[in-house]
Amino acid sequence: MAKASRRAIDEEIREGARMILAARYAIALTGAGMSVESGIPPFRGPGGLWTKYGEPPMNGFQRFMADPKKAWEERLSKRNDELFKPLTVARPNPGHLALVEMEELDVIRFVITQNIDDLHRQAGQKALAEIHGNWTLIRCLDCTTRFHRDAIDLEKLPPACPRCGGLLKSDTVSFGEPIPTDVLNMCAEHSAKADLVIVAGTSATVYPAAGFALEVKQRGGILIEVNLYESEITQYCDVSLRGGSAEVLPRLAKAVAEMRREALS
C-alpha cells in the first residue's frame, strides 16, 4: 500500500484556489476515495470487497440480458449485503459539501463522479453526471428514463418501463454494459469546455471517466489532484494536494471564498 504523503500545506491550498479562480470553466472528477470517507467500503485494495470475495463476473450485463428475471431476483436478494447495506446509511461528507459550495460560488461548473452512492445528489450538487449510474435509480434500457427505485413496482419481475414499456434495469452500470449515451454526452460536453479539473479521491485510471480529465490536461488545461496518496496521474498534475477529500476540499473551498472576497474588497 502506498504511503500517505504529508498533509497539504496552506500555501499549496491557496495555489490551487488561485488556479480555480483563474479558470474559465472548472470541473471535478471524483472517485471511490470520497465514498470510503463516508463509510462505504472500496472494491479494490486492502479491505476491498473484491479483495475479500473475488471480482464479480465480467459479463454481468450479458447475463442480465440473457435472463432479466433471474438477475433482478439476485439483485433484490443482496439488498442487505456488505455492499448495499452501507449505501443505505452513508451520508455526504464535508468533501461533497465543499464541491456544492464551489458550485454555488460558480467556480465549479460540473462534476463527473464514478461513484454510484447518490451522495453528490444528497449533498445538493446540481450539475452532475454519474458515469457509472446511481444505485437508488432504475433505468429503462429503451428510452433511458430513470425512476427512483420506490416508484417502480418490483412484485412482477422483470419490471416494465411505465413510460414506454421497455425493460428496466438498475441504473448502476454492469460489467460489459455500455455507459449510457446521455451521460457520456454530458461528460463530453462539459469536459470539452473545461480548462481545469479537480481530480478527487481517484487515481483516474478507469475509463472512460479518466479520459475526460486527462484530455483537459492534454489540451493545456490545469490538473489539481486531491488524494491521500501519490497516484498514476500525480506526475501530470499542476498541484497535488495530499489528504482525504473530506479534509482537503473544504480547505480549498474556504480559500476560494476568501480569495474571492479579498479580490472584491
Side-chain angles (χ1 to χ4, degrees):
M1 181 176 178
K3 293 182 179 179
S5 301
R6 60 167 174 74
R7 180 175 178 264
I9 62 174
D10 288 344
E11 182 49 42
E12 291 171 330
I13 296 290
R14 287 182 68 83
E15 181 182 3
R18 281 192 290 269
M19 291 178 172
I20 293 169
L21 285 169
R24 174 181 46 79
Y25 202 94
I27 67 173
L29 170 67
T30 69
M34 291 194 72
S35 296
V36 170
E37 291 182 272
S38 285
I40 297 170
F43 290 115
R44 298 180 175 88
L49 296 178
W50 294 349
T51 306
K52 293 166 67 175
Y53 303 113
E55 292 191 3
M58 295 294 108
N59 62 342
F61 183 62
Q62 289 70 31
R63 291 169 56 148
F64 175 88
M65 295 303 292
D67 194 341
K69 182 175 185 293
K70 180 180 179 182
W72 266 105
E73 289 171 344
E74 289 177 352
R75 182 174 181 85
L76 294 176
S77 72
K78 297 176 180 178
R79 282 184 288 191
N80 291 312
D81 70 6
E82 200 171 344
L83 168 62
F84 287 100
K85 192 65 174 177
L87 288 170
T88 65
V89 298
R91 295 295 177 264
N93 64 54
H96 296 101
L97 299 176
L99 287 175
V100 172
E101 181 181 348
M102 287 191 279
E103 179 181 72
E104 292 172 347
L105 289 170
D106 203 30
V107 294
I108 296 295
R109 305 299 189 89
F110 196 71
V111 173
I112 300 171
T113 186
Q114 300 170 88
N115 302 330
I116 65 166
D117 53 29
D118 192 53
L119 296 184
H120 283 294
R121 287 185 188 230
Q122 290 180 32
Q125 203 82 49
K126 293 180 174 61
L128 175 69
E130 295 159 312
I131 198 166
H132 295 155
N134 182 315
W135 83 283
T136 72
L137 302 179
I138 293 173
R139 169 170 39 91
C140 177
L141 295 180
D142 291 347
C143 70
T144 72
T145 303
R146 291 165 178 82
F147 306 89
H148 192 272
R149 63 180 184 272
D150 295 337
I152 299 299
D153 183 2
L154 298 177
E155 287 298 317
K156 181 182 178 182
L157 299 176
C161 176
R163 178 165 294 183
C164 75
L167 178 62
L168 292 178
K169 174 191 171 293
S170 168
D171 187 46
T172 53
V173 176
S174 303
F175 283 109
E177 181 180 6
I179 303 293
T181 303
D182 58 343
V183 175
L184 275 181
N185 289 342
M186 273 199 301
C187 294
E189 175 189 349
H190 289 278
S191 61
K193 300 176 185 177
D195 57 349
L196 183 146
V197 185
I198 300 171
V199 180
T202 175
S203 58
T205 55
V206 176
Y207 283 77
F212 293 115
L214 296 177
E215 285 168 15
V216 173
K217 180 63 180 176
Q218 289 165 1
R219 293 199 311 269
I222 299 293
L223 209 54
I224 297 176
E225 179 182 44
V226 177
N227 206 320
L228 279 167
Y229 314 107
E230 287 190 6
S231 72
E232 289 87 343
I233 66 164
T234 299
Q235 61 182 316
Y236 307 114
C237 291
D238 297 274
V239 176
S240 288
L241 302 175
R242 289 288 159 257
S245 300
E247 186 259 329
V248 172
L249 287 176
R251 293 172 64 199
L252 193 58
K254 181 181 179 182
V256 166
E258 289 176 349
M259 292 173 72
R260 170 170 279 185
R261 283 196 298 270
E262 290 169 5
L264 295 175
S265 63

